[in-house]
Amino acid sequence: MQAAVEPNECIAFGCGAGMALELHKRFGGVVARTDCPLGWRPKHRQCCSRASARISAERTSETRHHQLVEAAGSSGVSVVQAASRKMFERVAHLKTAVFSPELDERGRERERELVASHLLRLMQRMHNSREQVIYVASGTGSPQNVVGCAQYRELLAPVDGVYGKVWYISSIAVLPSARRQGIARHLIARIIFEAQCTRTDALVLFVEPTNFAALRLYESVGFSPLVRNTVDAVGVAAQKLLEHDPMLAEEQCFFLSINKQGR
């Protein structure tokens, strides 16, 4: 059995005292060659280096996440969390209210329920196949009071034989009564945070050119317009989406580079 690595031994491998303490707190000092807490099994020097790099990246991501949240100002959000299957029905009704407001008219209750049921089945199917992730924002006072949601899925874009990892944000929805409270910004901040922690190359989304509020929001958090026919991971991912849904050609594509090597 190999001996555990103490914090001062981590310092000898190039970690600073603060990082060594962080390694010790997270992994209990056990960073042995055959029992690496991060799943790697190279030499100890490389293992410590990668663990340190991961922690540093998480610290940077957390800082960026807090900056985005603070920029939202006062908000009616109490929590942003990944949606569980139990929340899917509430999310389906929320998306129906946001994207099909005409169904709120009197006498169209049956149509509204049919649309919500269709969205619910679609979310359940994609959840079972792990094709998507949904984050929900709950209103102040009750985690069950879903007032906003954001949905994304991962795309693998091959460029010169190398696969780039791009997340496609397919929808962001906030109830009309909860808008202008920074909820959409909180949802985007959470997705950016998760993307940074998982070494995703970029985020991509489509938005109608006349949706000026959404355009201002995306640009304020760092998204930029994508030039069509760009030959990189983002461009290939966007082309895939356009081939799958030609109606997206009427909308403007925006991207946010997460990993500098991704673009």
Side-chain angles (χ1 to χ4, degrees):
M1 179 177 178
Q2 297 189 7
V5 178
E6 298 300 328
N8 59 346
E9 292 185 70
C10 291
I11 295 174
F13 283 100
C15 298
M19 184 63 70
L21 179 60
E22 187 74 19
L23 283 167
H24 182 65
K25 286 196 300 182
R26 292 197 183 198
F27 309 129
V30 181
V31 195
R33 295 180 187 176
T34 58
D35 188 23
C36 176
L38 301 183
W40 297 306
R41 296 179 182 274
K43 293 181 180 179
H44 172 65
R45 180 190 299 275
Q46 296 170 330
C47 185
C48 279
S49 175
R50 293 188 186 185
S52 301
R54 172 172 166 173
I55 293 172
S56 296
E58 288 180 1
R59 287 175 176 173
T60 302
S61 299
E62 289 171 1
T63 300
R64 177 60 176 158
H65 175 67
H66 291 313
Q67 288 174 344
L68 288 169
V69 170
E70 289 173 1
S74 59
S75 171
V77 177
S78 62
V79 64
V80 173
Q81 60 183 322
S84 64
R85 291 183 64 91
K86 294 180 180 180
M87 294 181 174
F88 283 178
E89 185 173 355
R90 290 191 291 274
V91 173
H93 282 92
L94 180 150
K95 295 179 76 170
T96 302
V98 171
F99 297 122
S100 303
E102 69 280 1
L103 298 182
D104 285 338
E105 297 176 4
R106 198 168 180 179
R108 304 191 69 177
E109 293 83 0
R110 177 60 178 167
E111 293 178 69
R112 185 169 64 246
E113 287 302 318
L114 287 174
V115 171
S117 297
H118 172 72
L119 289 173
L120 176 60
R121 289 193 299 272
L122 185 63
M123 284 188 289
Q124 290 172 336
R125 179 180 65 78
M126 297 186 74
H127 176 78
N128 291 338
S129 59
R130 299 184 178 182
E131 294 180 33
Q132 71 171 7
V133 177
I134 299 176
Y135 279 101
V136 295
S138 303
T140 304
S142 173
Q144 306 303 317
N145 180 25
V146 177
V147 295
C149 67
Q151 178 177 321
Y152 71 86
R153 59 190 175 94
E154 182 178 305
L155 301 172
L156 294 178
V159 179
D160 297 330
V162 178
Y163 282 83
K165 187 165 70 170
V166 178
W167 284 2
Y168 168 49
I169 302 177
S170 56
S171 67
I172 298 176
V174 178
L175 288 175
S177 59
R179 290 173 185 169
R180 297 186 180 278
Q181 299 180 45
I183 293 173
R185 186 181 294 269
H186 276 262
L187 289 164
I188 294 174
R190 180 57 185 267
I191 294 176
I192 292 174
F193 173 71
E194 296 296 334
Q196 290 171 329
C197 289
T198 55
R199 297 186 178 182
T200 298
D201 293 322
L203 305 177
V204 64
L205 55 81
F206 287 83
V207 60
E208 295 180 0
T210 56
N211 191 343
F212 301 114
L215 290 171
R216 287 194 296 270
L217 171 63
Y218 299 143
E219 290 177 344
S220 70
V221 297
F223 280 84
S224 303
L226 176 69
V227 178
R228 294 292 170 92
N229 300 319
T230 304
V231 184
D232 61 6
V234 178
V236 171
Q239 187 59 38
K240 278 187 174 182
L241 293 167
L242 288 169
E243 292 172 359
H244 179 72
D245 186 359
M247 292 185 65
L248 290 175
E250 301 176 4
E251 302 184 6
Q252 190 169 2
C253 183
F254 279 75
F255 77 96
L256 174 64
S257 183
I258 303 296
N259 178 1
K260 292 182 180 180
Q261 295 180 351
R263 181 170 179 79

